[in-house]
Amino acid sequence: MDESHRRVSIDHFNGFELLDVFGPLGLLGMLPQAFSVELVGRFQGFVRSSQGAEVRATVGYRDAQLPDIVLVPGGRGTRSLVNDTGFLEWLAAWASEARLVTSVCTEAAVLAAEGPLDGFRATTNKRASGWATSHDSSVEGVTQARWVEDRSRWTSSGVAAGIDMTAALVAHLFGPETAAAVAGGAELEIHTDPHWDPFAAANGLL
């Protein structure tokens, strides 16, 4: 991995959650000298989100370059992806060379189903916690967490938590001052404590 610049590849699939992608992308896009972002889809072209808006994938799976950082969003489409053998095999092979694999929300279920979370701690959307971690018994589900960093795997709780995880990732790579500057530029108050999580109790998980 180039220590001064990272290639971030964000996977898209039908039924992805918009904020899972564009929350993190908004922060990363404020550091063009540090990150280049590629939107990857099954094929080059438009991919429909859970909200109905379509986003253009700039490259298809077959031609996607090996990334430094993989970011995969959640969304309603993950419910079918966990049973899509072809997709799971592609994602496992494509992400295998990445230095960091990150997920937002229910995408942790897909990572569990395809193997990259084997033996790792992970969290996910509180309303899908049991379902997400049921796909691999070797995954240690963390119920109360805004995000979880376990070696080369970063997973966040639901939707907006992906923004906090991204800010923490920026701090991890380039220092807390850079992360604070990005958050300030976005007029965003981020949660810097990964254990801050009122939603576990609110959803009856504690």
Side-chain angles (χ1 to χ4, degrees), residues 54-75:
E54 294 187 336
V55 175
R56 186 177 182 273
T58 54
V59 65
Y61 291 164
R62 185 180 63 180
D63 299 317
Q65 297 187 48
L66 295 178
D68 296 320
I69 300 172
V70 168
L71 189 150
V72 281

Side-chain angles (χ1 to χ4, degrees), residues 26-27 30 177-189:
L27 293 187
M30 298 178 71
E177 296 83 4
T178 300
V182 169
E187 297 192 7
L188 173 67
E189 183 177 1

Side-chain angles (χ1 to χ4, degrees), residues 92-187:
W94 179 64
S96 64
E97 299 298 323
R99 292 285 296 276
L100 296 173
V101 177
T102 70
S103 73
V104 180
C105 198
T106 52
E107 184 62 27
V110 179
L111 293 182
E114 53 133 335
L117 285 182
D118 287 355
F120 286 87
R121 298 167 62 249
T123 194
T124 187
N125 188 303
K126 299 303 178 290
R127 297 183 180 182
S129 181
W131 172 77
T133 56
S134 69
H135 298 283
D136 187 340
S137 61
S138 75
V139 177
E140 180 185 343
V142 181
T143 300
Q144 187 172 24
R146 186 66 169 168
W147 74 88
V148 170
E149 173 194 353
D150 187 357
R151 293 162 285 168
S152 61
R153 302 294 186 262
W154 291 58
T155 54
S156 82
S157 185
V159 193
I163 302 173
D164 289 340
M165 179 188 72
T166 303
L169 184 62
V170 171
H172 173 75
L173 295 173
F174 297 105
E177 296 83 4
T178 300
V182 169
E187 297 192 7

Side-chain angles (χ1 to χ4, degrees), residues 37-79:
V37 179
E38 185 171 63
L39 304 181
V40 180
R42 193 177 296 264
F43 303 101
Q44 184 183 54
F46 289 99
V47 183
R48 182 176 291 274
S49 68
S50 292
Q51 290 75 24
E54 294 187 336
V55 175
R56 186 177 182 273
T58 54
V59 65
Y61 291 164
R62 185 180 63 180
D63 299 317
Q65 297 187 48
L66 295 178
D68 296 320
I69 300 172
V70 168
L71 189 150
V72 281
R76 289 194 295 270
T78 58
R79 298 288 178 168

